Amino acid sequence: ETGVTQSPTHLIKTRGQQVTLRCSSQSGHNTVSWYQQALGQGPQFIFQYYREEENGRGNFPPRFSGLQFPNYSSELNVNALELDDSALYLCASSLGTGEYEAFFGQGTRLTVV
Amino acid sequence: GESVGLHLPTLSVQEGDNSIINCAYSNSASDYFIWYKQESGKGPQFIIDIRSNMDKRQGQRVTVLLNKTVKHLSLQIAATQPGDSAVYFCAENINNAGNMLTFGGGTRLMVKP
């Protein structure tokens, strides 16, 4: 186990709704990254938070947003859900933004119907 | 558990044989590369990393080779075991930015007893 926990593990939402996914990072880790993994593909980088500030962003629209809290836990919010948002959402925490090992949680499986 | 990599390239090896998994990366400016293992129902797990100033790095039963000339990365697993069965991803850092990663498409390794 990596010490990174995500909730919920599974979620079903209707197109157009909003969803919030949560991540508790490993103790001592101040950096959290979020990835989207479609079935049969590798994870795609959404964004990274470092000490409560967005530190970098991938090619995702603004309806994907995030937060990092003072305890370094994090949320991923997705508005106006689309069917293509159905995927496994992975959170990874690390000691910093440099070439530190990223520890992944088990993911949240989101299904949009 | 989760089904990861339903339509990925598959490498099937006999238990005890050596496995070689290959990956072509996209960005010639990337300076940090990582191999991850993902088992069904779990997030990616770090295996080994290598920086661009090296062409080989060894771990326990694993070796990563980097050929920057042709932008190719390989993972060699010695004496493959049934517990090595998983999907393997290579990843490179995005815009030389630490641990914000671009993942490859993945290869499923199946170990026959």
Side-chain angles (χ1 to χ4, degrees), chain A residues 1 14 30 32 38-39 47 52 55 58 75 86 88 90 103 108:
Chain A
E1 299 301 322
T14 302
N30 58 21
V32 174
L39 203 59
F47 43 57
E52 303 178 61
N55 183 53
E75 286 182 355
S86 296
L88 182 68
L90 294 161
F103 293 83
T108 294

Side-chain angles (χ1 to χ4, degrees), chain B residues 4-97:
Chain B
V4 175
L6 290 179
H7 305 292
L8 294 174
T10 298
L11 174 65
S12 185
V13 300
Q14 204 69 39
E15 181 179 357
D17 287 351
N18 297 333
S19 302
I20 300 176
I21 300 171
N22 296 304
C23 174
Y25 63 91
S26 56
N27 185 357
S28 57
S30 294
D31 59 4
Y32 180 55
F33 305 88
I34 312 101
W35 279 100
Y36 282 93
K37 171 186 180 183
Q38 188 172 25
E39 297 174 284
S40 184
K42 297 184 179 180
Q45 176 188 358
F46 174 94
I47 301 173
I48 190 168
D49 60 3
I50 189 168
R51 289 170 175 77
S52 60
N53 60 353
M54 305 171 69
D55 53 19
K56 180 179 180 179
R57 190 163 188 225
Q58 289 185 290
Q60 186 178 11
R61 281 201 308 118
V62 295
T63 301
V64 56
L65 299 178
L66 174 62
N67 185 331
K68 294 181 286 293
T69 303
V70 295
K71 294 190 288 186
H72 184 268
L73 202 63
S74 69
L75 177 69
Q76 301 177 1
I77 304 173
T80 312
Q81 303 168 358
D84 295 327
S85 294
V87 177
Y88 289 80
F89 294 98
C90 66
E92 60 187 297
N93 63 347
I94 298 170
N95 299 325
N96 302 112

